[in-house]
């Protein structure tokens, strides 16, 4: 009897590593499956969303660089695809949006912020990145000296509608932000984008039944409360590109906007 018990115990000891290995495999496989199936938050925009490499080049940042820290990334992936110098038009014509569409899937989110670079010329030899002002269906046929192709340029609203419609076609949830304000004051108040890109962003979002964050107003309200002397410390180089402190404030305002969006599940993934 003692010999049988000894054999039984030996068998248990031999089986234990195999059982533990199987359990570990199941645990790792479950984690990998969860990671593969988790939604992704895609962020697109210009240098105020991601400046340079997104790692504080020349002490300048964009608010998108601080968004991953605000989400539970075990449950949602965060990808900041914004790039400096791009407008709502050139982010598309350079193929950057098409690249995102290749992996965009149902249940993902897209936060977009454009406008800062849309007011430039349509066909200048420096950047050729401008869009037609407004949200209508106006267009202009040009020769693009940068890309060396003929191109039909549309309104800011046309390009923003494309982002919204393309995202929805993939089953993703589009969220439009009005562009962050610059460090420009008039009559002691922060200059806002009301009547231009801030208003147009909201109108396009409303018409396209996309979520909208009035980021321009949220940040301008904070700037007005802080005062011009404090706000100027956010802008070490010019009136457009904030440092870490300024971009952190902007990221906080994006989070504020997400929390206030009714019926938007993105808030469920915030820390």
């Amino acid at each position: 009897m003692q010999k049988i018990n000894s054999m039984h115990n030996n068998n248990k000891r031999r089986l234990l590593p195999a059982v533990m290995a199987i359990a570990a495999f199941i645990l790792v496989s479950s984690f990998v499956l969860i990671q593969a199936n988790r939604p992704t938050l895609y962020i697109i925009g210009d240098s105020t969303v991601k400046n340079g490499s997104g790692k504080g080049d020349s002490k300048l940042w964009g608010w998108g660089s601080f968004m991953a820290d605000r989400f539970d990334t075990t449950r949602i992936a965060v990808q900041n695809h914004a790039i400096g110098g791009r407008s709502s038009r050139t982010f598309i014509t350079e193929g950057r949006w098409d690249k995102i569409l290749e992996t965009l899937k149902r249940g993902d989110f897209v936060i977009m912020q454009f406008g800062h670079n849309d007011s430039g010329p349509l066909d200048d030899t420096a950047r050729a990145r401008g869009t037609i002002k407004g949200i209508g269906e106006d267009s202009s046929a040009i020769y693009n000296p940068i890309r060396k192709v003929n191109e039909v340029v549309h309104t800011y609203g046309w390009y923003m509608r494309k982002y919204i419609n393309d995202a929805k076609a993939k089953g993703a949830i589009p969220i439009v932000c009005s562009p962050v304000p610059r460090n420009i004051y008039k009559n002691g108040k922060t200059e806002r984008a009301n009547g231009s890109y801030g208003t147009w962003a909201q109108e396009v979002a409303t018409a396209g039944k996309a979520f909208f964050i009035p980021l321009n107003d949220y940040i301008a309200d904070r700037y007005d409360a802080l005062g011009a002397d404090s706000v100027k410390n956010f802008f070490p180089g010019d009136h457009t590109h904030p440092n870490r402190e300024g971009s952190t404030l902007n990221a906080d305002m994006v989070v504020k906007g997400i929390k206030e969006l009714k019926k938007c599940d993105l808030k469920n993934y915030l820390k």
Side-chain angles (χ1 to χ4, degrees):
M1 186 69 178
Q2 186 175 10
K3 185 176 181 179
I4 293 173
N5 288 337
S6 177
M7 291 175 60
H8 180 68
N9 290 335
N10 287 337
N11 288 336
K12 287 175 64 177
R13 283 194 291 269
R14 282 196 295 269
L15 285 172
L16 185 60
V19 171
M20 291 178 66
I22 293 171
F25 175 77
I26 293 172
L27 185 63
V28 170
S29 298
S30 299
F31 177 77
V32 170
L33 186 62
I34 290 170
Q35 293 292 294
N37 291 333
R38 64 182 171 161
T40 298
L41 167 60
Y42 292 89
I43 304 171
I44 62 175
D46 53 38
S47 58
T48 63
V49 185
K50 181 181 177 182
N51 195 291
S53 67
K55 297 180 180 179
D57 309 50
S58 302
K59 297 184 179 180
L60 301 178
W61 294 81
W63 58 258
S65 294
F66 301 101
M67 292 305 291
D69 295 337
R70 289 158 166 76
F71 285 91
D72 179 358
T73 53
T74 65
R75 298 171 57 234
I76 187 169
V78 179
Q79 297 184 15
N80 184 7
H81 291 266
I83 181 168
R86 273 56 182 187
S87 64
S88 64
R89 163 192 167 194
T90 55
F91 195 88
I92 290 173
T93 57
E94 291 178 0
R96 299 177 185 279
W97 178 235
D98 283 341
K99 191 68 176 176
I100 291 171
L101 289 175
E102 291 177 5
T103 56
L104 190 67
K105 64 184 184 301
R106 180 169 298 278
D108 287 345
F109 301 86
V110 181
I111 290 185
M112 62 193 80
Q113 183 218 278
F114 290 102
H116 283 292
N117 299 318
D118 280 71
S119 61
L122 305 187
D123 58 356
D124 64 308
T125 56
R127 305 219 176 174
R129 62 186 181 183
T131 57
I132 299 171
K133 291 178 172 57
I135 62 171
E137 295 295 336
D138 300 340
S139 64
S140 178
I142 66 154
Y143 175 75
N144 188 319
I146 306 298
R147 298 173 57 224
K148 296 180 170 38
V149 296
N150 293 317
E151 181 183 353
V152 177
V153 179
H154 303 274
T155 64
Y156 169 77
W158 187 94
Y159 294 103
M160 297 301 286
R161 276 193 292 276
K162 178 171 173 56
Y163 292 120
I164 292 170
N165 293 336
D166 286 354
K168 284 189 168 186
K170 289 284 189 174
I173 297 93
I175 302 170
V176 179
C177 294
S178 52
V180 300
R182 292 181 166 93
N183 181 31
I184 300 175
Y185 280 76
K186 288 188 176 181
N187 301 318
K189 295 291 184 181
T190 307
E191 183 178 66
R192 305 186 184 221
N194 298 331
S196 61
Y197 296 99
T199 299
W200 299 334
Q202 182 173 16
E203 289 174 346
V204 168
T206 300
K209 295 182 179 179
F211 291 106
F212 176 70
I213 296 175
L215 190 57
N216 188 267
D217 282 330
Y218 283 169
I219 297 171
D221 288 344
R222 291 288 295 124
Y223 284 2
D224 287 346
L226 290 168
D229 287 341
S230 294
V231 171
K232 70 180 180 182
N233 295 321
F234 296 153
F235 296 89
D238 57 25
H239 58 31
T240 301
H241 302 98
N243 57 15
R244 175 184 285 273
E245 290 74 21
S247 292
T248 299
L249 182 152
N250 293 350
D252 289 341
M253 294 301 99
V254 175
V255 170
K256 167 183 165 67
I258 292 170
K259 289 179 177 178
E260 294 184 2
L261 293 176
K262 295 180 180 179
K263 299 181 180 180
C264 181
D265 292 338
L266 183 58
K267 65 169 69 74
N268 299 331
Y269 297 96
L270 289 166
K271 288 181 179 178

